[in-house]
Structures are given as C-alpha cells and as structure tokens.
Amino acid sequence: MITFVWAEDENGLIGKGGSLPWNLPNDMKFFKEVTLTGNVLMGRKTFESIPNPPLKKRENVVLTRQTDLEIDHVLVMHTKEEVLEYAERTDKPLHIIGGSDIFELFVSDVDMLYKTKIHDQFSGDTFMTSINYQEFDLVEEKEGILDDQNSHRHTFQIYKRK
Ligand SMILES: NC(=O)c1ccc[n+]([C@@H]2O[C@H](COP(=O)([O-])OP(=O)(O)OC[C@H]3O[C@@H](n4cnc5c(N)ncnc54)[C@H](OP(=O)(O)O)[C@@H]3O)[C@@H](O)[C@H]2O)c1
C-alpha cells in the first residue's frame, strides 16, 4: 500500500526555504503516528530538511537523480520503478512524505491520503501537487486541538482510493 502524508495551508503551500512554513507540533505527532506503521519515501531535498535524519524505526528511502549519492542507514533509489518494486516486496505501507515532485510522480499510484489541512495562509515556495479528490472517499476527519503550542486551526483527514 502506498500513502501520502503531508500538511498544506489554504493555498496548498507545503514548504518555505527548505523547511515547513509553520510550527505545529500536533501535526508532527500525527505524522509520526502514521509513518511509524511503515516505511517512508522522500525526495532528496525533503530528506535534507529533517533535523536529525534518518527518521527512526522506519526504513528511509530517498529518491535522487544523483547516481553516486550514498547516505548512511538510508536506501537510495533513482527511479519510480525501483520504488514500486520495493513497495510490492515489503509487507508494510510505504508512506510518501514529499516533496512536491515526489507527490506528483506517484499521484496515480497512491492508495490513501493522510492530509493535515491548516486553515491559514502562509508565504513560501513549494506547493502540493494537484489531486483529483473525486477518485477518493473521505473516511476520517478530526479537528486538531488548539493550545499554546498549536495556534493554527487544523483538520486531520484520511482519504481512501475508491
Ligand atoms: N508540508 C509538508 O507536509 C511537506 C512535506 C515534504 C516536504 N515539505 C517541504 O517541501 C520542501 C522540499 O520539497 P521539494 O519539492 O522542494 O523537494 P523534494 O521533492 O523533497 O526533493 C526534490 C529532489 O528529489 C529528487 N527527485 C525528484 N524527482 C525525481 C525523479 N523523478 N527521479 C529521481 N529523483 C527525483 C531530486 O533530487 P536530486 O537533486 O538529488 O537529484 C530532486 O532535486 C521543503 O521546504 C520541505 O520542508 C513539506
């Protein structure tokens, strides 16, 4: 099974200057809970945005066009085909965690979407790829709880391909 796990603002923004445009610990917690159920695939730039890589207790797969790139404790891959073969031979979900090129590359292969909708507008430079939500059913929706550390209204949504 292939999933997307991401957070976007009201304009579909996901990134700013190589990191996240917002600080929302609740979303980090949700991200961890979801991705710990499987392995993670990300683009090379998203990997470089992780503070203490690799993400623990999950196999980290990084996609790059650099044929000589080696990263300790990380599976480096170069093509979509290689990733799909890997997803098929592992019995765990493969959670695709961005960024936009990587979401775009797998948009027709994804089975489930774990989306955090942030009801606010930020500035930034990286946007979510367009998804045809008519191909998916919304199966779960939960409002995030606001507190001192989590000041942006947000909703966790789970979609399943029809
Ligand atoms: N809000 C969220 O949920 C979320 C999630 C993820 C990321 N982000 C943010 O998004 C930004 C990073 O995302 P991004 O879209 O700029 O970059 P990215 O998708 O993480 O990485 C792009 C890189 O992936 C490799 N790549 C892309 N397409 C490929 C293909 N077809 N085959 C092989 N390799 C390929 C290339 O690496 P090489 O250059 O090494 O060849 C490319 O430069 C950061 O700001 C990050 O914080 C936000």
Side-chain angles (χ1 to χ4, degrees):
M1 184 181 59
I2 294 179
T3 84
F4 283 178
V5 189
W6 83 102
E8 65 175 47
D9 82 351
E10 287 177 347
N11 299 314
L13 182 77
I14 63 167
K16 180 185 183 181
S19 73
L20 296 175
W22 45 77
N23 177 36
L24 193 59
N26 274 354
D27 181 51
M28 295 281 102
K29 193 167 161 253
F30 178 76
F31 172 86
K32 193 172 174 185
E33 277 169 18
V34 173
T35 57
L36 276 173
T37 64
N39 299 316
V40 287
L41 168 76
M42 69 204 95
R44 194 260 309 158
K45 291 182 185 171
T46 294
F47 180 77
E48 288 179 355
S49 78
I50 296 173
N52 292 302
L55 295 173
K56 311 295 175 290
K57 300 183 191 164
R58 291 145 279 190
E59 188 148 55
N60 287 219
V61 185
V62 170
L63 204 56
T64 175
R65 293 190 181 90
Q66 303 173 55
T67 49
D68 56 350
L69 185 68
E70 289 179 23
I71 311 170
D72 282 351
H73 310 295
V74 164
L75 260 178
V76 176
M77 296 191 184
H78 305 95
T79 63
K80 175 175 173 170
E81 291 66 34
E82 211 180 336
V83 171
L84 291 178
E85 274 170 31
Y86 168 80
E88 257 185 42
R89 72 170 183 268
T90 50
D91 54 357
K92 290 179 173 180
L94 180 62
H95 300 297
I96 299 184
I97 61 167
S100 57
D101 293 351
I102 310 304
F103 287 132
E104 172 65 26
L105 195 59
F106 291 95
V107 74
S108 56
D109 306 285
V110 67
D111 304 299
M112 290 193 71
L113 310 174
Y114 292 86
K115 171 181 181 177
T116 305
K117 236 176 121 74
I118 303 178
H119 306 284
D120 223 330
Q121 297 187 15
F122 298 81
S123 64
D125 48 43
T126 311
F127 289 83
M128 185 58 189
T129 194
S130 121
I131 290 179
N132 180 1
Y133 285 96
Q134 301 203 334
E135 295 174 3
F136 295 88
D137 287 321
L138 179 66
V139 292
E140 216 178 299
E141 188 168 43
K142 201 169 104 188
E143 281 291 306
I145 295 165
L146 299 183
D147 57 27
D148 289 354
Q149 309 295 316
N150 296 276
S151 57
H152 307 293
R153 199 164 73 77
H154 55 289
T155 308
F156 299 108
Q157 296 180 325
I158 304 177
Y159 293 85
K160 202 171 173 186
R161 191 177 281 281
K162 285 177 182 166

mmCIF file of all heavy atoms in Angstrom, residues 72-118:
data_model
loop_
_atom_site.group_PDB
_atom_site.id
_atom_site.type_symbol
_atom_site.label_atom_id
_atom_site.label_comp_id
_atom_site.label_asym_id
_atom_site.label_seq_id
_atom_site.Cartn_x
_atom_site.Cartn_y
_atom_site.Cartn_z
ATOM 1 N N ASP A 72 24.253 7.147 4.866
ATOM 2 C CA ASP A 72 24.268 6.095 5.894
ATOM 3 C C ASP A 72 22.863 5.746 6.356
ATOM 4 O O ASP A 72 22.062 6.648 6.630
ATOM 5 C CB ASP A 72 25.069 6.576 7.122
ATOM 6 C CG ASP A 72 26.563 6.471 6.867
ATOM 7 O OD1 ASP A 72 26.945 5.880 5.842
ATOM 8 O OD2 ASP A 72 27.327 6.999 7.691
ATOM 9 N N HIS A 73 22.587 4.463 6.480
ATOM 10 C CA HIS A 73 21.312 3.950 7.002
ATOM 11 C C HIS A 73 20.098 4.369 6.174
ATOM 12 O O HIS A 73 18.991 4.451 6.691
ATOM 13 C CB HIS A 73 21.104 4.374 8.465
ATOM 14 C CG HIS A 73 22.287 4.085 9.327
ATOM 15 N ND1 HIS A 73 22.718 2.803 9.578
ATOM 16 C CD2 HIS A 73 23.143 4.917 9.976
ATOM 17 C CE1 HIS A 73 23.792 2.856 10.354
ATOM 18 N NE2 HIS A 73 24.076 4.124 10.594
ATOM 19 N N VAL A 74 20.323 4.673 4.903
ATOM 20 C CA VAL A 74 19.225 5.098 4.026
ATOM 21 C C VAL A 74 19.299 4.298 2.731
ATOM 22 O O VAL A 74 20.383 4.029 2.228
ATOM 23 C CB VAL A 74 19.357 6.618 3.719
ATOM 24 C CG1 VAL A 74 18.503 7.022 2.539
ATOM 25 C CG2 VAL A 74 19.001 7.449 4.946
ATOM 26 N N LEU A 75 18.130 3.906 2.225
ATOM 27 C CA LEU A 75 18.065 3.243 0.919
ATOM 28 C C LEU A 75 17.935 4.339 -0.131
ATOM 29 O O LEU A 75 16.946 5.079 -0.131
ATOM 30 C CB LEU A 75 16.810 2.381 0.854
ATOM 31 C CG LEU A 75 16.910 0.892 1.081
ATOM 32 C CD1 LEU A 75 15.517 0.272 1.024
ATOM 33 C CD2 LEU A 75 17.807 0.252 0.037
ATOM 34 N N VAL A 76 18.911 4.458 -0.995
ATOM 35 C CA VAL A 76 18.866 5.491 -2.031
ATOM 36 C C VAL A 76 18.356 4.855 -3.323
ATOM 37 O O VAL A 76 18.870 3.816 -3.748
ATOM 38 C CB VAL A 76 20.257 6.119 -2.243
ATOM 39 C CG1 VAL A 76 20.238 7.123 -3.388
ATOM 40 C CG2 VAL A 76 20.737 6.801 -0.959
ATOM 41 N N MET A 77 17.333 5.458 -3.932
ATOM 42 C CA MET A 77 16.788 4.939 -5.191
ATOM 43 C C MET A 77 16.751 6.051 -6.228
ATOM 44 O O MET A 77 16.823 7.235 -5.883
ATOM 45 C CB MET A 77 15.389 4.372 -4.961
ATOM 46 C CG MET A 77 15.408 3.175 -4.038
ATOM 47 S SD MET A 77 13.851 2.292 -3.998
ATOM 48 C CE MET A 77 14.249 1.072 -2.749
ATOM 49 N N HIS A 78 16.628 5.635 -7.503
ATOM 50 C CA HIS A 78 16.747 6.612 -8.593
ATOM 51 C C HIS A 78 15.559 6.652 -9.537
ATOM 52 O O HIS A 78 15.462 7.566 -10.354
ATOM 53 C CB HIS A 78 18.032 6.327 -9.392
ATOM 54 C CG HIS A 78 19.246 6.308 -8.524
ATOM 55 N ND1 HIS A 78 19.769 5.148 -8.004
ATOM 56 C CD2 HIS A 78 19.991 7.320 -8.028
ATOM 57 C CE1 HIS A 78 20.809 5.444 -7.237
ATOM 58 N NE2 HIS A 78 20.960 6.747 -7.236
ATOM 59 N N THR A 79 14.680 5.648 -9.457
ATOM 60 C CA THR A 79 13.558 5.633 -10.392
ATOM 61 C C THR A 79 12.259 5.241 -9.688
ATOM 62 O O THR A 79 12.270 4.576 -8.643
ATOM 63 C CB THR A 79 13.779 4.610 -11.537
ATOM 64 O OG1 THR A 79 13.837 3.299 -10.954
ATOM 65 C CG2 THR A 79 15.038 4.885 -12.330
ATOM 66 N N LYS A 80 11.168 5.636 -10.312
ATOM 67 C CA LYS A 80 9.841 5.280 -9.815
ATOM 68 C C LYS A 80 9.664 3.762 -9.804
ATOM 69 O O LYS A 80 9.111 3.195 -8.862
ATOM 70 C CB LYS A 80 8.800 5.941 -10.728
ATOM 71 C CG LYS A 80 7.383 5.564 -10.395
ATOM 72 C CD LYS A 80 6.388 6.335 -11.243
ATOM 73 C CE LYS A 80 5.000 5.791 -10.996
ATOM 74 N NZ LYS A 80 3.949 6.604 -11.589
ATOM 75 N N GLU A 81 10.159 3.100 -10.845
ATOM 76 C CA GLU A 81 10.016 1.643 -10.970
ATOM 77 C C GLU A 81 10.670 0.935 -9.793
ATOM 78 O O GLU A 81 10.111 -0.001 -9.226
ATOM 79 C CB GLU A 81 10.632 1.155 -12.292
ATOM 80 C CG GLU A 81 9.891 1.582 -13.550
ATOM 81 C CD GLU A 81 9.911 3.092 -13.811
ATOM 82 O OE1 GLU A 81 10.922 3.754 -13.496
ATOM 83 O OE2 GLU A 81 8.894 3.629 -14.307
ATOM 84 N N GLU A 82 11.861 1.402 -9.441
ATOM 85 C CA GLU A 82 12.600 0.821 -8.314
ATOM 86 C C GLU A 82 11.774 0.959 -7.025
ATOM 87 O O GLU A 82 11.696 0.034 -6.214
ATOM 88 C CB GLU A 82 13.906 1.629 -8.183
ATOM 89 C CG GLU A 82 15.104 0.893 -7.667
ATOM 90 C CD GLU A 82 16.316 1.825 -7.602
ATOM 91 O OE1 GLU A 82 16.373 2.841 -8.342
ATOM 92 O OE2 GLU A 82 17.190 1.539 -6.793
ATOM 93 N N VAL A 83 11.138 2.106 -6.864
ATOM 94 C CA VAL A 83 10.336 2.359 -5.658
ATOM 95 C C VAL A 83 9.095 1.452 -5.653
ATOM 96 O O VAL A 83 8.759 0.859 -4.626
ATOM 97 C CB VAL A 83 9.911 3.851 -5.595
ATOM 98 C CG1 VAL A 83 8.903 4.071 -4.471
ATOM 99 C CG2 VAL A 83 11.126 4.753 -5.419
ATOM 100 N N LEU A 84 8.437 1.321 -6.798
ATOM 101 C CA LEU A 84 7.222 0.486 -6.854
ATOM 102 C C LEU A 84 7.548 -0.980 -6.589
ATOM 103 O O LEU A 84 6.807 -1.679 -5.902
ATOM 104 C CB LEU A 84 6.509 0.653 -8.202
ATOM 105 C CG LEU A 84 5.867 2.027 -8.429
ATOM 106 C CD1 LEU A 84 5.218 2.111 -9.806
ATOM 107 C CD2 LEU A 84 4.852 2.380 -7.348
ATOM 108 N N GLU A 85 8.686 -1.438 -7.094
ATOM 109 C CA GLU A 85 9.125 -2.819 -6.812
ATOM 110 C C GLU A 85 9.378 -3.002 -5.323
ATOM 111 O O GLU A 85 8.984 -4.003 -4.726
ATOM 112 C CB GLU A 85 10.415 -3.144 -7.572
ATOM 113 C CG GLU A 85 10.180 -3.635 -8.975
ATOM 114 C CD GLU A 85 11.488 -3.721 -9.766
ATOM 115 O OE1 GLU A 85 12.549 -3.971 -9.154
ATOM 116 O OE2 GLU A 85 11.434 -3.498 -10.990
ATOM 117 N N TYR A 86 10.016 -2.008 -4.724
ATOM 118 C CA TYR A 86 10.301 -2.054 -3.281
ATOM 119 C C TYR A 86 8.981 -2.095 -2.494
ATOM 120 O O TYR A 86 8.822 -2.903 -1.567
ATOM 121 C CB TYR A 86 11.125 -0.820 -2.889
ATOM 122 C CG TYR A 86 11.240 -0.608 -1.404
ATOM 123 C CD1 TYR A 86 12.158 -1.338 -0.645
ATOM 124 C CD2 TYR A 86 10.434 0.324 -0.751
ATOM 125 C CE1 TYR A 86 12.255 -1.150 0.728
ATOM 126 C CE2 TYR A 86 10.531 0.512 0.615
ATOM 127 C CZ TYR A 86 11.440 -0.222 1.344
ATOM 128 O OH TYR A 86 11.525 -0.040 2.706
ATOM 129 N N ALA A 87 8.029 -1.245 -2.873
ATOM 130 C CA ALA A 87 6.738 -1.191 -2.163
ATOM 131 C C ALA A 87 6.025 -2.537 -2.253
ATOM 132 O O ALA A 87 5.380 -2.975 -1.297
ATOM 133 C CB ALA A 87 5.864 -0.080 -2.740
ATOM 134 N N GLU A 88 6.162 -3.203 -3.378
ATOM 135 C CA GLU A 88 5.486 -4.501 -3.568
ATOM 136 C C GLU A 88 6.122 -5.613 -2.749
ATOM 137 O O GLU A 88 5.438 -6.484 -2.241
ATOM 138 C CB GLU A 88 5.487 -4.882 -5.046
ATOM 139 C CG GLU A 88 4.130 -4.635 -5.658
ATOM 140 C CD GLU A 88 4.029 -5.090 -7.092
ATOM 141 O OE1 GLU A 88 4.539 -6.183 -7.409
ATOM 142 O OE2 GLU A 88 3.448 -4.335 -7.874
ATOM 143 N N ARG A 89 7.450 -5.575 -2.628
ATOM 144 C CA ARG A 89 8.096 -6.694 -1.942
ATOM 145 C C ARG A 89 8.135 -6.533 -0.418
ATOM 146 O O ARG A 89 8.416 -7.482 0.288
ATOM 147 C CB ARG A 89 9.491 -6.979 -2.511
ATOM 148 C CG ARG A 89 10.547 -5.967 -2.184
ATOM 149 C CD ARG A 89 11.936 -6.470 -2.592
ATOM 150 N NE ARG A 89 12.944 -5.513 -2.207
ATOM 151 C CZ ARG A 89 13.395 -4.533 -2.975
ATOM 152 N NH1 ARG A 89 12.927 -4.380 -4.191
ATOM 153 N NH2 ARG A 89 14.324 -3.692 -2.528
ATOM 154 N N THR A 90 7.841 -5.328 0.087
ATOM 155 C CA THR A 90 7.783 -5.164 1.544
ATOM 156 C C THR A 90 6.314 -5.318 1.953
ATOM 157 O O THR A 90 5.418 -4.955 1.208
ATOM 158 C CB THR A 90 8.288 -3.770 1.990
ATOM 159 O OG1 THR A 90 7.622 -2.797 1.215
ATOM 160 C CG2 THR A 90 9.774 -3.628 1.812
ATOM 161 N N ASP A 91 6.093 -5.867 3.144
ATOM 162 C CA ASP A 91 4.697 -6.075 3.549
ATOM 163 C C ASP A 91 4.149 -4.895 4.354
ATOM 164 O O ASP A 91 3.042 -4.939 4.859
ATOM 165 C CB ASP A 91 4.559 -7.386 4.349
ATOM 166 C CG ASP A 91 5.518 -7.428 5.522
ATOM 167 O OD1 ASP A 91 6.308 -6.475 5.669
ATOM 168 O OD2 ASP A 91 5.474 -8.407 6.290
ATOM 169 N N LYS A 92 4.922 -3.824 4.453
ATOM 170 C CA LYS A 92 4.473 -2.644 5.206
ATOM 171 C C LYS A 92 4.032 -1.543 4.249
ATOM 172 O O LYS A 92 4.517 -1.484 3.115
ATOM 173 C CB LYS A 92 5.630 -2.101 6.042
ATOM 174 C CG LYS A 92 6.016 -2.980 7.198
ATOM 175 C CD LYS A 92 7.175 -2.332 7.926
ATOM 176 C CE LYS A 92 7.498 -3.076 9.200
ATOM 177 N NZ LYS A 92 8.622 -2.441 9.903
ATOM 178 N N PRO A 93 3.177 -0.624 4.728
ATOM 179 C CA PRO A 93 2.827 0.515 3.878
ATOM 180 C C PRO A 93 4.068 1.356 3.554
ATOM 181 O O PRO A 93 4.974 1.455 4.389
ATOM 182 C CB PRO A 93 1.869 1.344 4.748
ATOM 183 C CG PRO A 93 1.439 0.470 5.855
ATOM 184 C CD PRO A 93 2.488 -0.583 6.033
ATOM 185 N N LEU A 94 4.084 1.918 2.356
ATOM 186 C CA LEU A 94 5.139 2.876 2.015
ATOM 187 C C LEU A 94 4.504 4.263 2.070
ATOM 188 O O LEU A 94 3.622 4.593 1.268
ATOM 189 C CB LEU A 94 5.718 2.611 0.617
ATOM 190 C CG LEU A 94 6.822 3.594 0.206
ATOM 191 C CD1 LEU A 94 8.027 3.502 1.154
ATOM 192 C CD2 LEU A 94 7.274 3.362 -1.233
ATOM 193 N N HIS A 95 4.943 5.050 3.048
ATOM 194 C CA HIS A 95 4.399 6.393 3.230
ATOM 195 C C HIS A 95 5.259 7.391 2.473
ATOM 196 O O HIS A 95 6.448 7.550 2.789
ATOM 197 C CB HIS A 95 4.372 6.755 4.716
ATOM 198 C CG HIS A 95 3.537 5.830 5.546
ATOM 199 N ND1 HIS A 95 2.175 5.704 5.361
ATOM 200 C CD2 HIS A 95 3.863 4.980 6.555
ATOM 201 C CE1 HIS A 95 1.704 4.822 6.238
ATOM 202 N NE2 HIS A 95 2.694 4.354 6.961
ATOM 203 N N ILE A 96 4.672 8.038 1.498
ATOM 204 C CA ILE A 96 5.396 9.048 0.723
ATOM 205 C C ILE A 96 5.211 10.387 1.424
ATOM 206 O O ILE A 96 4.077 10.831 1.654
ATOM 207 C CB ILE A 96 4.906 9.073 -0.737
ATOM 208 C CG1 ILE A 96 5.172 7.690 -1.368
ATOM 209 C CG2 ILE A 96 5.591 10.198 -1.510
ATOM 210 C CD1 ILE A 96 4.825 7.567 -2.827
ATOM 211 N N ILE A 97 6.337 11.017 1.784
ATOM 212 C CA ILE A 97 6.249 12.211 2.641
ATOM 213 C C ILE A 97 6.759 13.473 1.942
ATOM 214 O O ILE A 97 7.073 14.459 2.601
ATOM 215 C CB ILE A 97 6.981 11.961 3.983
ATOM 216 C CG1 ILE A 97 8.477 11.668 3.775
ATOM 217 C CG2 ILE A 97 6.327 10.801 4.744
ATOM 218 C CD1 ILE A 97 9.297 11.727 5.071
ATOM 219 N N GLY A 98 6.815 13.450 0.599
ATOM 220 C CA GLY A 98 7.136 14.658 -0.131
ATOM 221 C C GLY A 98 8.543 14.666 -0.705
ATOM 222 O O GLY A 98 9.251 13.685 -0.595
ATOM 223 N N GLY A 99 8.914 15.804 -1.331
ATOM 224 C CA GLY A 99 8.093 16.984 -1.539
ATOM 225 C C GLY A 99 7.266 16.914 -2.800
ATOM 226 O O GLY A 99 6.820 15.847 -3.228
ATOM 227 N N SER A 100 7.082 18.067 -3.425
ATOM 228 C CA SER A 100 6.069 18.166 -4.470
ATOM 229 C C SER A 100 6.386 17.304 -5.696
ATOM 230 O O SER A 100 5.471 16.687 -6.255
ATOM 231 C CB SER A 100 5.834 19.611 -4.858
ATOM 232 O OG SER A 100 7.000 20.197 -5.263
ATOM 233 N N ASP A 101 7.653 17.220 -6.110
ATOM 234 C CA ASP A 101 7.999 16.382 -7.280
ATOM 235 C C ASP A 101 7.653 14.920 -7.007
ATOM 236 O O ASP A 101 7.209 14.197 -7.908
ATOM 237 C CB ASP A 101 9.513 16.405 -7.547
ATOM 238 C CG ASP A 101 10.025 17.749 -8.001
ATOM 239 O OD1 ASP A 101 9.189 18.634 -8.274
ATOM 240 O OD2 ASP A 101 11.261 17.905 -8.086
ATOM 241 N N ILE A 102 7.891 14.498 -5.790
ATOM 242 C CA ILE A 102 7.701 13.089 -5.442
ATOM 243 C C ILE A 102 6.202 12.777 -5.337
ATOM 244 O O ILE A 102 5.742 11.739 -5.807
ATOM 245 C CB ILE A 102 8.448 12.746 -4.125
ATOM 246 C CG1 ILE A 102 9.903 13.240 -4.190
ATOM 247 C CG2 ILE A 102 8.374 11.258 -3.815
ATOM 248 C CD1 ILE A 102 10.735 12.728 -5.348
ATOM 249 N N PHE A 103 5.424 13.691 -4.768
ATOM 250 C CA PHE A 103 3.963 13.500 -4.738
ATOM 251 C C PHE A 103 3.430 13.406 -6.180
ATOM 252 O O PHE A 103 2.626 12.545 -6.507
ATOM 253 C CB PHE A 103 3.283 14.661 -4.004
ATOM 254 C CG PHE A 103 3.476 14.660 -2.500
ATOM 255 C CD1 PHE A 103 3.867 15.817 -1.840
ATOM 256 C CD2 PHE A 103 3.243 13.522 -1.740
ATOM 257 C CE1 PHE A 103 4.031 15.837 -0.457
ATOM 258 C CE2 PHE A 103 3.400 13.528 -0.354
ATOM 259 C CZ PHE A 103 3.796 14.698 0.287
ATOM 260 N N GLU A 104 3.931 14.316 -7.023
ATOM 261 C CA GLU A 104 3.482 14.344 -8.426
ATOM 262 C C GLU A 104 3.782 13.009 -9.127
ATOM 263 O O GLU A 104 2.948 12.461 -9.844
ATOM 264 C CB GLU A 104 4.183 15.513 -9.148
ATOM 265 C CG GLU A 104 3.992 15.575 -10.648
ATOM 266 C CD GLU A 104 2.560 15.831 -11.078
ATOM 267 O OE1 GLU A 104 1.816 16.441 -10.289
ATOM 268 O OE2 GLU A 104 2.200 15.405 -12.194
ATOM 269 N N LEU A 105 4.970 12.477 -8.857
ATOM 270 C CA LEU A 105 5.423 11.245 -9.517
ATOM 271 C C LEU A 105 4.530 10.039 -9.165
ATOM 272 O O LEU A 105 4.348 9.142 -9.975
ATOM 273 C CB LEU A 105 6.872 10.981 -9.072
ATOM 274 C CG LEU A 105 7.729 9.982 -9.828
ATOM 275 C CD1 LEU A 105 7.860 10.382 -11.294
ATOM 276 C CD2 LEU A 105 9.124 9.906 -9.183
ATOM 277 N N PHE A 106 3.960 10.039 -7.955
ATOM 278 C CA PHE A 106 3.192 8.876 -7.501
ATOM 279 C C PHE A 106 1.696 9.147 -7.368
ATOM 280 O O PHE A 106 0.980 8.346 -6.780
ATOM 281 C CB PHE A 106 3.759 8.376 -6.162
ATOM 282 C CG PHE A 106 5.135 7.777 -6.309
ATOM 283 C CD1 PHE A 106 6.268 8.543 -6.094
ATOM 284 C CD2 PHE A 106 5.289 6.451 -6.708
ATOM 285 C CE1 PHE A 106 7.541 7.998 -6.259
ATOM 286 C CE2 PHE A 106 6.556 5.900 -6.878
ATOM 287 C CZ PHE A 106 7.681 6.677 -6.645
ATOM 288 N N VAL A 107 1.223 10.258 -7.948
ATOM 289 C CA VAL A 107 -0.175 10.645 -7.717
ATOM 290 C C VAL A 107 -1.181 9.618 -8.268
ATOM 291 O O VAL A 107 -2.281 9.489 -7.754
ATOM 292 C CB VAL A 107 -0.432 12.094 -8.229
ATOM 293 C CG1 VAL A 107 -0.489 12.156 -9.743
ATOM 294 C CG2 VAL A 107 -1.655 12.686 -7.580
ATOM 295 N N SER A 108 -0.768 8.866 -9.296
ATOM 296 C CA SER A 108 -1.707 7.867 -9.831
ATOM 297 C C SER A 108 -1.550 6.510 -9.136
ATOM 298 O O SER A 108 -2.326 5.590 -9.407
ATOM 299 C CB SER A 108 -1.525 7.722 -11.345
ATOM 300 O OG SER A 108 -0.188 7.400 -11.608
ATOM 301 N N ASP A 109 -0.572 6.371 -8.251
ATOM 302 C CA ASP A 109 -0.312 5.091 -7.580
ATOM 303 C C ASP A 109 -0.779 5.077 -6.130
ATOM 304 O O ASP A 109 -0.836 4.023 -5.506
ATOM 305 C CB ASP A 109 1.205 4.808 -7.574
ATOM 306 C CG ASP A 109 1.789 4.874 -8.970
ATOM 307 O OD1 ASP A 109 1.564 3.929 -9.737
ATOM 308 O OD2 ASP A 109 2.428 5.890 -9.306
ATOM 309 N N VAL A 110 -1.089 6.252 -5.595
ATOM 310 C CA VAL A 110 -1.339 6.340 -4.156
ATOM 311 C C VAL A 110 -2.714 5.744 -3.791
ATOM 312 O O VAL A 110 -3.694 5.940 -4.496
ATOM 313 C CB VAL A 110 -1.194 7.809 -3.674
ATOM 314 C CG1 VAL A 110 -2.267 8.726 -4.240
ATOM 315 C CG2 VAL A 110 -1.161 7.889 -2.161
ATOM 316 N N ASP A 111 -2.741 4.986 -2.672
ATOM 317 C CA ASP A 111 -3.976 4.330 -2.214
ATOM 318 C C ASP A 111 -4.691 5.130 -1.120
ATOM 319 O O ASP A 111 -5.913 5.094 -1.018
ATOM 320 C CB ASP A 111 -3.651 2.940 -1.630
ATOM 321 C CG ASP A 111 -2.917 2.069 -2.629
ATOM 322 O OD1 ASP A 111 -3.498 1.807 -3.695
ATOM 323 O OD2 ASP A 111 -1.756 1.669 -2.359
ATOM 324 N N MET A 112 -3.916 5.767 -0.273
ATOM 325 C CA MET A 112 -4.524 6.513 0.847
ATOM 326 C C MET A 112 -3.832 7.856 1.037
ATOM 327 O O MET A 112 -2.633 7.980 0.781
ATOM 328 C CB MET A 112 -4.399 5.722 2.154
ATOM 329 C CG MET A 112 -5.290 4.501 2.168
ATOM 330 S SD MET A 112 -5.438 3.792 3.800
ATOM 331 C CE MET A 112 -6.434 4.995 4.644
ATOM 332 N N LEU A 113 -4.608 8.835 1.488
ATOM 333 C CA LEU A 113 -4.062 10.177 1.724
ATOM 334 C C LEU A 113 -4.238 10.537 3.188
ATOM 335 O O LEU A 113 -5.351 10.424 3.719
ATOM 336 C CB LEU A 113 -4.820 11.214 0.876
ATOM 337 C CG LEU A 113 -4.999 10.931 -0.613
ATOM 338 C CD1 LEU A 113 -5.908 11.991 -1.255
ATOM 339 C CD2 LEU A 113 -3.632 10.929 -1.311
ATOM 340 N N TYR A 114 -3.164 10.932 3.834
ATOM 341 C CA TYR A 114 -3.217 11.440 5.207
ATOM 342 C C TYR A 114 -2.863 12.917 5.132
ATOM 343 O O TYR A 114 -1.691 13.280 5.023
ATOM 344 C CB TYR A 114 -2.222 10.704 6.110
ATOM 345 C CG TYR A 114 -2.585 9.263 6.352
ATOM 346 C CD1 TYR A 114 -2.191 8.260 5.468
ATOM 347 C CD2 TYR A 114 -3.334 8.902 7.463
ATOM 348 C CE1 TYR A 114 -2.535 6.933 5.691
ATOM 349 C CE2 TYR A 114 -3.683 7.573 7.702
ATOM 350 C CZ TYR A 114 -3.276 6.602 6.807
ATOM 351 O OH TYR A 114 -3.615 5.290 7.032
ATOM 352 N N LYS A 115 -3.899 13.737 5.175
ATOM 353 C CA LYS A 115 -3.699 15.165 4.912
ATOM 354 C C LYS A 115 -4.020 15.987 6.153
ATOM 355 O O LYS A 115 -5.052 15.778 6.783
ATOM 356 C CB LYS A 115 -4.643 15.561 3.775
ATOM 357 C CG LYS A 115 -4.748 17.043 3.504
ATOM 358 C CD LYS A 115 -5.746 17.245 2.366
ATOM 359 C CE LYS A 115 -5.897 18.696 2.008
ATOM 360 N NZ LYS A 115 -6.811 18.857 0.856
ATOM 361 N N THR A 116 -3.132 16.913 6.459
ATOM 362 C CA THR A 116 -3.439 17.886 7.510
ATOM 363 C C THR A 116 -3.716 19.205 6.819
ATOM 364 O O THR A 116 -2.852 19.746 6.134
ATOM 365 C CB THR A 116 -2.259 18.055 8.495
ATOM 366 O OG1 THR A 116 -1.923 16.772 9.018
ATOM 367 C CG2 THR A 116 -2.636 18.990 9.632
ATOM 368 N N LYS A 117 -4.954 19.655 6.979
ATOM 369 C CA LYS A 117 -5.358 20.918 6.357
ATOM 370 C C LYS A 117 -5.193 22.017 7.393
ATOM 371 O O LYS A 117 -5.812 21.948 8.470
ATOM 372 C CB LYS A 117 -6.844 20.818 6.001
ATOM 373 C CG LYS A 117 -7.153 21.061 4.564
ATOM 374 C CD LYS A 117 -8.630 20.842 4.300
ATOM 375 C CE LYS A 117 -9.265 22.096 3.761
ATOM 376 N NZ LYS A 117 -8.942 22.402 2.396
ATOM 377 N N ILE A 118 -4.361 22.991 7.089
ATOM 378 C CA ILE A 118 -4.153 24.090 8.034
ATOM 379 C C ILE A 118 -4.970 25.284 7.542
ATOM 380 O O ILE A 118 -4.799 25.732 6.405
ATOM 381 C CB ILE A 118 -2.652 24.432 8.153
ATOM 382 C CG1 ILE A 118 -1.891 23.172 8.589
ATOM 383 C CG2 ILE A 118 -2.442 25.555 9.175
ATOM 384 C CD1 ILE A 118 -0.402 23.337 8.693
#
